[in-house]
Amino acid sequence: MTIDELRQEIDRLDAELLRIFNRRAGLALEIGKIKKGRGLPVYDPTREKAIFERMKGENPGPLDNGAIVRLFERVIDESRRLERIMTHRDEMREKE
């Protein structure tokens, strides 16, 4: 494969990752709504640890497990941030 072909494949994968990240964030928002309705906290350290352990167990490489955990920490942090923003926005609307 040429560099251009490899870059085209990376571009295709980046587009797929973007779609997947946004789908995952949408699901996290749905979970956030359920948690809010049940009075549960946004942060669930047990769930996050389970995600990290599962991803490390499924990791075929070449990224090492530390890299996998850092990537998923970031994805989860952004999902949690989005949940907080949306919860706050909903609370503000309820007060109006």
Side-chain angles (χ1 to χ4, degrees):
M1 272 191 154
T2 68
I3 289 176
D4 286 340
E5 290 169 332
L6 292 168
R7 287 180 176 159
Q8 286 174 0
E9 180 66 8
I10 287 174
D11 290 347
R12 187 190 66 72
L13 290 171
D14 287 347
E16 187 175 344
L17 284 170
L18 182 60
R19 182 188 58 76
I20 290 168
F21 288 150
N22 280 296
R23 175 69 179 136
R24 190 186 192 287
L27 293 170
L29 285 175
E30 292 299 314
I31 290 170
K33 290 176 189 176
I34 294 168
K35 285 180 177 179
K36 181 182 177 191
R38 295 181 181 174
L40 298 171
V42 170
Y43 178 57
D44 183 351
T46 303
R47 169 70 177 148
E48 289 185 19
K49 184 178 179 183
I51 291 169
F52 301 147
E53 292 304 314
R54 182 169 47 87
M55 291 298 94
K56 289 190 299 186
E58 295 178 15
N59 180 25
L63 291 173
D64 65 34
N65 285 341
I68 294 300
V69 168
R70 287 188 301 277
L71 286 167
F72 275 89
E73 283 174 336
R74 190 66 188 157
V75 169
I76 291 169
D77 285 345
E78 288 303 318
S79 293
R80 192 169 46 236
R81 185 183 68 82
L82 184 58
E83 282 183 56
R84 286 189 181 116
I85 289 169
M86 297 308 286
T87 299
H88 179 71
R89 189 176 298 160
D90 290 346
E91 290 170 356
M92 296 305 290
R93 286 183 186 148
E94 289 171 4
K95 290 180 181 180
E96 293 177 347

